Every structure is written in structure tokens, then in C-alpha cells.
Amino acid sequence: MEDIKKLARELLADNKVQLVLGFENGTANRVRPAFFTTPEAVDKLIYNEFCIQNIALYLKKDICQHAASLAITANPNVVRSILQLAAENQIKEEKIKIIGITHEGKCVGLLDFKAAEEFSKTQPKGLKDEDKALIEKIQAMSLEEKFDYWVEAFSPCIKCYACRASCPMCYCGKCNVESNNPQWIPVAPHKYGNMEWHMMRAMHLAGRCINCGECNRSCPVDIPLNILSYMLSDFVLEEFESEAGLSAVFTPALSSYTMVDKENFIK
Amino acid sequence: MEIINKLIDKSALATLIERFTKSGKEVFAPVKSKGISEFARVETIQDIDFETIATKQSAKSLVFPKVEKILSYEKTFDDVIVNNVDYTQFPEVIAFGNRPCDAAGFIPLDAIFAGELVDEIFKARLEKLTVISISCKKADDYCFCTSVNGGPGNTTGSDILLTETTADEYFVEIVTEKGKAILDANTDLFKDTAAIDKTPFLAKLEQQFTQEVINEKLNGIFESDIWDKQAMRCVGCGACAFVCPACGCFDIQDETKGKNGVRHRCWDSCGFKIFTLHTSGHNPREKQAQRWRQRIYHKFSYQPEQQKLFGCVGCGRCSRACPSDMNIAEHLKEIAVL
Ligand code: SF4
Ligand code: SF4
Ligand code: SF4
Ligand code: SF4
């Protein structure tokens, strides 16, 4: 942790960045996202195994948008998010200093995008065993069973949109659910309203989700909606050989067409 | 009504719950499933989670569900036929095992929905609801009821309050006529007692500020930069408002198919950007900090002014549910010492 703090302090002291995005201690044993603007403030910066919230989310918020340059303490999930945001023209390399941190919590120093791409390859997405088990369980289901599973899983959804608000890839200024003319998705959190909302979200993230699990962690009713996105990531990888979060140059499967695209999934 | 003191042992309590369900009342209590405790329909006392300090969501859905049909309509050649929901037919509901803060939460909701303008649907649900709360033996780092005029053994909003005094017995306070009706119908289950000092049986929770001080401080800090500072990490979701027992904002949604349609009421939150978005594109609360400020002002300034009560009961649910650890007690404390 000391090397991370030292790096953050130096970046601010040397005016290399205006803002460091990281973590500080929160309520009881929780940690929380924090924004550091002076070298002295960095005393409060922490990094430990609880710092798993995907803070890349804030890169699209006012505070980061208004900073001319910034640094971010970046675990593999955050690095993948940054690369994907860059690939979608949402962040520029000259603006951001990535303080790379491995899954084990080891600081690897500053990463430019090229180094970040290498880093991402050596720090594969770490799905939890329970995630893998659930994916296997769902994959073994028939189409009808899958549909019923998800209707049931989404039924407790209260449409608080914490999943959307916490997802670094859900950065649209106006989400489709906010459109009421025409109204694409029912606002009410009833059976169909929930199903349509989650299908829409899953489709908009297909092949763009970087598998951080933040949507699930932020959900107050613990819906495993991340699993749906993970399964779509696998599907897009298989069908289009495309994987999000590995490169700052990336053509999303959903908005491109090549002559070798398979169409066998259209049934 | 003056509070009536009684005792009930645990087997009698189990019988009481059975009598409720057998007589067709719907009993809702905290139930733990997949590690999360939420209010759910129960049949017997065995189904109930007595340990969890606070359910993830509040008990408000018993009177203000996340989505409910309020009417349906049908267009004819030259008219529209409106069918209101029949709110005289709602079932009798018992909220059981909720915390005193949950019970207190029904009061600001009542003031919102059945103040000057009475929402018949809400009122009908509330009238059919009997609240049997259990005092808190434990509090956690998010609880702050004692700072907002509540307490781990507070009777406000409860029809009956139970306080566990021994491993086998509860001290019972019958607070309202609704509570007395339950006592009268089940006298065999209750034993007489003099009033008991509950303090040794309650969680100790230090007062951090008073709501009156917050109310006073809010006069004159509308333009303060504290809102920007506090709301910096807020991601602008609806989690805090949706889990809050006292938040009553809603959205009205018509779903039409051909000539028929249904009107729903569903939860809404002042934390959402589109909550105040005008059709012109102008948004009077454009920044998240302004929305956070609204949340605090509504609960600690506007509600006291308009309804003579506060809109927060200190349950800490918003803080527990917040993905970014926005701790409302900590923020209020910061305001109190400004
Ligand atoms: S796992 Fe969830 S939060 Fe993370 S990128 Fe995918 S959809 Fe977004
Ligand atoms: S965070 Fe959970 S409850 Fe909220 S909208 Fe997303 S899935 Fe639904
Ligand atoms: S305070 Fe927390 S729960 Fe409330 S809107 Fe902000 S991020 Fe969401
Ligand atoms: S504002 Fe937070 S602490 Fe207060 S009543 Fe609502 S959920 Fe509970």
C-alpha cells in the first residue's frame, strides 16, 4: 500500500495529475471511493482486499470529466474498464495515469495503455467459483427453464438502477429506460417490466461487459444479473472472437459486421 | 390510549401467530433467504428471522408496494370507463417482528399519503395493518434512531411492542386500540404485569445529534459547498430511497394495450436525474449534489415545515444499501457541527 501512496503523492506534488481516484476507510469495516487532490490528503488513501468496487465508474462523472488529468488506483477490473472505455472513445490516454494493482494487491507502477493491455492479459478476469457454478447450472437448462429461471431471478428487482449506476460501461447520458416517447421499456417493476429492463440491459452490454461483478455487488436485493452479462461475454467470444477489456482498440461485435460473422445463432 | 403492560411467553407467541394465520390474516415478518433478510409472508413462528438487526428493505411495501395497480380504463366510442381498484377488499395484514424504526416509518408515510389529500388506497392498506414490533437488543454501525427521536424500545407507530426480557418471555406493551383488539381476542395468551424498565434489555445507542439541530442548520446552507463534498461519490441510484421506510415518492405509469389500459403506481426517487427533468430539457436539479441536498432537506426541513414531523427514522438502511457507502448519519453529523 505504501508504494501506491508514494506514487499518488508524487503525481499530485509534481502536478502530473490534478486528482487521484482511489479508496479510503468507510463505515465500520467498509471502504469507500475517495477523491484526493493534494499530496497531504493521500495520507488517507488505502488499498486492501476490500477495495473491489469498480471505481472506473467515476471516470465518466463530473468530478473526473472536469479534471484536466487524473490518476486511478486500478485493479484488473478497473484496468479492463479503462481499456474498454478508451476503445469506446470515452477516455483519452493522455488524461489518465493508471496505477496498476494485481489481483493479489501488488502495485506494478504506472501503466500506459500498451502496458495496460499486457497487464490485462496476465491478470485474467477472476470469476468466483459460485459464479462459475451458476453459469454451469444455467447452461445445462433448456431454453424454457432458462427463461423461467431469469423471470424468477429478476422478480425481486425494485428498479433502483443501482446496477446501472454502478456499472462503468453503463455511461449513457440518457438510458433507454428513460425514454418515454416512445416508451420502450415499462417503468413498473412488475414481471414483464423487470424482464424487459434486464434483457435490454444485457443486450446493450453484450460483448462490452468487462465482467467485474459490480452490478451484482451494488444490487440491494442481490440479483445475479452479472451472470447474464458474463454468459453473453462468453457467447460473443465464441461466436465473434471478440473480448472486451483487453485492448484500447476494439470493434464491438454488436456494432460491426464482417464477412466471416456467423449467423447460426439466428434461430 | 394509555399503554397496557402484559407478558407473553414464546410458546404463547407461536400460538398467537398461528391464530392470526388460521383466521385469514396475512402475517409478514423478517425471513432469511440466501443470506438476506426481508419481510415475507409467514405461516408459523419458525419461519421468522429474529436475529437480523434490519431487513434489507423496509416494511413500507406492506402499505406502499413497489408497484401496484391503482385503476384500469377502457376507451369506448365517445367515453372512457374507469375502474378503480376495490380497496375495501384488502386483506388484514399483521407486520410482525419489525423494528421500532420500521413502525415509526409508517408515520411520515401516512403524513405524505393521507395528509391534506387522502390517498384512499394507501389509507385502506394502513387501516388494515396491525404492527407488532420487537425492541432491538443489538444495533449496528448504521443505526441512529436515538438521534432522530426514536429508540431501540420506542413505541411510536407500533400497535404492540414486544421486548425480550428472558430467553422465554417478552414484555408486551399494548399501545393502540388495534393492539388492544388483539389482546382482547387472545386474553388467554397474555399474563399480567406491572410496567418494567426496558433499558437493560435494549441496545445501547449513543445519540450523535438531534434532528432539531439539523433542521436549524439547514437554514442557510442551501448554497454551501458541503453538498458537493458529500455527494461526490454518490452514483445517483435509487437504492437509498427504495429501501427507506419513510420515502414516499412515486411515479404514475399508464400501460395501454389497444383500447384498454392499467394505471400503476411505482416507487420513484429524488436521486434520479429524470425525477425533475422538464420536458423542455431543463433540469432544476441537474447535479447529483443538488439531488442529495434535496434528500436531506426534504426529510429535515420541508417535512418538519409542512407536516410537523421528520422524514427519517434512523434505521440506517440507506447507508447499508448504498453501493458507495454514503453514510447518512455521518453526513448529518457533519451538518450538525457546521
Ligand atoms: S459485470 Fe456488471 S457492472 Fe461490471 S461491466 Fe459487466 S454489467 Fe457492468
Ligand atoms: S440493482 Fe438490483 S434491484 Fe436495482 S435495478 Fe438493478 S437488479 Fe434491480
Ligand atoms: S446515496 Fe448511495 S444509494 Fe443513494 S443515490 Fe447515492 S449512491 Fe445511490
Ligand atoms: S433516510 Fe435512511 S436512515 Fe433515515 S429512515 Fe430512510 S433509510 Fe432509514
Side-chain angles (χ1 to χ4, degrees):
Chain A
M1 188 164 96
E2 282 316 311
D3 38 354
I4 299 172
K5 283 171 109 162
K6 186 163 168 273
L7 205 52
R9 255 187 222 111
E10 281 169 9
L11 287 169
L12 285 164
D14 300 345
N15 268 327
K16 293 233 170 71
V17 299
Q18 293 181 324
L19 173 76
V20 175
L21 178 50
F23 289 92
E24 65 182 14
N25 280 316
T27 311
N29 53 10
R30 274 175 84 175
V31 299
R32 58 172 65 142
F35 309 86
F36 305 92
T37 51
T38 64
E40 298 72 45
V42 173
D43 290 353
K44 280 199 175 159
L45 184 144
I46 58 157
Y47 194 88
N48 58 35
E49 72 268 33
F50 300 115
C51 300
I52 47 176
Q53 185 178 354
N54 191 342
I55 52 174
L57 152 85
Y58 293 100
L59 294 173
K60 289 292 293 171
K61 299 274 181 212
D62 283 354
I63 174 147
C64 295
Q65 294 286 306
H66 293 159
S69 57
L70 60 96
I72 179 168
T73 59
N75 62 23
N77 284 339
V78 175
V79 173
R80 280 205 311 284
S81 307
I82 295 168
L83 288 173
Q84 187 61 23
L85 285 169
E88 297 182 10
N89 294 321
Q90 299 302 316
I91 182 133
K92 288 202 166 64
E93 185 166 15
E94 16 338 334
K95 179 166 168 169
I96 186 164
K97 302 249 180 285
I98 306 170
I99 304 175
I101 302 167
T102 64
H103 282 303
E104 292 74 33
K106 191 172 161 288
C107 177
V108 295
L110 292 181
L111 305 172
D112 58 18
F113 279 4
K114 200 161 172 299
E117 289 173 356
E118 286 309 311
F119 176 84
S120 273
K121 277 185 209 131
T122 59
Q123 296 285 314
K125 53 191 185 193
L127 294 204
K128 290 184 284 179
D129 288 344
E130 57 194 88
D131 295 344
K132 288 182 199 155
L134 185 53
I135 291 175
E136 256 172 53
K137 185 179 135 191
I138 298 170
Q139 266 163 349
M141 292 176 183
S142 69
L143 206 57
E144 289 74 25
E145 284 168 341
K146 275 185 195 158
F147 189 81
D148 292 346
Y149 172 82
W150 285 114
V151 169
E152 181 60 28
F154 291 137
S155 67
C157 176
I158 50 178
K159 288 208 181 170
C160 67
Y161 299 125
C163 49
R164 180 188 69 184
S166 298
C167 171
M169 303 320 300
C170 272
Y171 54 73
C172 294
K174 185 178 179 187
C175 177
N176 228 14
V177 297
E178 284 159 6
S179 162
N180 58 5
N181 191 15
Q183 178 111 50
W184 300 111
I185 307 291
V187 171
H190 49 43
K191 188 170 159 186
Y192 298 108
N194 284 349
M195 200 59 188
E196 286 181 40
W197 146 236
H198 284 288
M199 289 210 286
M200 185 277 285
R201 183 167 185 276
M203 285 314 291
H204 287 184
L205 284 155
R208 297 177 53 240
C209 164
I210 54 86
N211 294 211
C212 63
E214 196 54 51
C215 45
N216 168 249
R217 276 193 296 277
S218 64
C219 175
V221 295
D222 202 24
I223 293 173
L225 70 164
N226 55 327
I227 298 299
L228 190 57
S229 293
Y230 293 0
M231 291 176 77
L232 280 169
S233 298
D234 289 349
F235 184 81
V236 170
L237 178 61
E238 219 168 277
E239 297 293 331
F240 301 99
E241 286 156 26
S242 156
E243 189 173 356
L246 293 182
S247 166
V249 186
F250 176 82
T251 317
L254 267 185
S255 53
S256 61
Y257 175 77
T258 71
M259 292 308 281
V260 295
D261 278 357
K262 293 178 247 172
E263 280 162 7
N264 52 0
F265 62 92
I266 301 172
K267 294 204 173 95
Chain B
M1 170 187 137
E2 203 173 314
I3 291 181
I4 304 171
N5 300 310
K6 291 281 171 188
L7 293 172
I8 191 167
D9 63 41
K10 287 191 180 167
S11 62
L13 196 58
T15 311
L16 184 65
I17 289 171
E18 255 164 53
R19 285 187 191 167
F20 288 151
T21 50
K22 284 216 180 94
S23 66
K25 292 189 172 89
E26 296 185 358
V27 182
F28 284 82
V31 173
K32 204 166 196 171
S33 154
K34 291 183 202 146
I36 295 188
S37 194
E38 293 281 27
F39 286 93
R41 185 94 180 262
V42 297
E43 294 302 327
T44 75
I45 201 162
Q46 273 86 37
D47 299 338
I48 301 172
D49 169 17
F50 286 89
E51 291 310 311
T52 303
I53 292 176
T55 49
K56 205 81 193 249
Q57 295 181 65
S58 74
K60 78 172 165 194
S61 57
L62 299 180
V63 286
F64 174 34
K66 66 173 181 176
V67 50
E68 70 181 324
K69 178 175 143 182
I70 55 178
L71 55 84
S72 59
Y73 50 85
E74 194 186 324
K75 280 184 225 164
T76 58
F77 177 67
D78 55 0
D79 202 4
V80 179
I81 302 164
V82 174
N83 299 303
N84 289 312
V85 296
D86 184 2
Y87 48 80
T88 59
Q89 298 304 311
F90 288 151
E92 289 226 25
V93 173
I94 308 270
F96 181 87
N98 55 276
R99 299 295 171 202
C101 54
D102 269 308
F106 292 120
I107 294 171
L109 276 188
D110 192 23
I112 292 169
F113 285 104
E116 259 170 74
L117 271 177
V118 176
D119 183 297
E120 300 291 351
I121 299 175
F122 173 89
K123 198 74 193 167
R125 282 195 208 277
L126 192 63
E127 267 161 19
K128 290 275 175 73
L129 177 75
T130 306
V131 183
I132 307 181
S133 317
I134 299 183
S135 298
C136 301
K137 288 190 286 185
K138 292 177 291 184
D140 70 9
D141 294 297
Y142 300 94
C143 295
F144 63 101
C145 55
T146 49
S147 303
V148 289
N149 270 8
N154 193 28
T155 54
T156 314
S158 297
D159 296 302
I160 296 178
L161 177 67
L162 306 174
T163 305
E164 196 183 55
T165 47
T166 72
D168 192 46
E169 203 164 53
Y170 286 97
F171 170 56
V172 185
E173 289 167 280
I174 312 280
V175 188
T176 65
E177 292 298 337
K178 270 190 201 167
K180 187 157 179 297
I182 288 177
L183 171 68
D184 291 345
N186 300 280
T187 41
D188 56 319
L189 300 178
F190 295 89
K191 285 179 279 187
D192 290 336
T193 180
I196 287 176
D197 173 18
K198 293 184 286 180
T199 330
F201 311 108
L202 301 177
K204 313 263 170 294
L205 192 61
E206 210 181 302
Q207 186 177 35
Q208 305 181 54
F209 50 85
T210 67
Q211 49 191 9
E212 289 74 21
V213 164
I214 305 289
N215 178 265
E216 239 178 79
K217 291 280 162 144
L218 289 180
N219 269 322
I221 58 162
F222 195 78
E223 303 291 350
S224 161
D225 62 358
I226 191 161
W227 309 112
D228 277 318
K229 279 191 203 138
Q230 291 192 341
M232 223 180 260
R233 64 178 182 275
C234 171
V235 300
C237 61
C240 49
F242 287 8
V243 299
C244 175
C247 275
C249 284
F250 59 83
D251 191 4
I252 297 289
Q253 287 288 327
D254 285 357
E255 285 171 13
T256 308
K257 205 172 177 190
K259 289 189 167 11
N260 299 297
V262 173
R263 176 165 294 178
H264 292 291
R265 164 167 51 208
C266 24
W267 291 349
D268 205 345
S269 167
C270 59
F272 291 142
K273 186 175 65 190
I274 61 163
F275 187 76
T276 44
L277 183 64
H278 295 182
T279 22
S280 65
H282 170 67
N283 194 341
R285 290 186 212 132
E286 204 155 28
K287 295 194 301 178
Q288 200 55 38
Q290 296 169 319
R291 295 172 216 140
W292 170 251
R293 177 178 67 188
Q294 162 65 22
R295 183 168 174 76
I296 300 296
Y297 268 83
H298 187 235
K299 291 177 179 298
F300 291 90
S301 182
Y302 309 148
Q303 278 180 291
E305 193 176 305
Q306 291 161 6
Q307 298 157 339
K308 310 287 173 255
L309 47 76
F310 289 82
C312 169
V313 295
C315 69
R317 280 196 176 79
C318 51
S319 316
R320 290 185 201 97
C322 176
S324 297
D325 193 34
M326 292 277 284
N327 185 317
I328 193 171
E330 186 185 319
H331 284 140
L332 290 168
K333 214 165 138 187
E334 227 171 73
I335 293 167
V337 297
L338 269 187

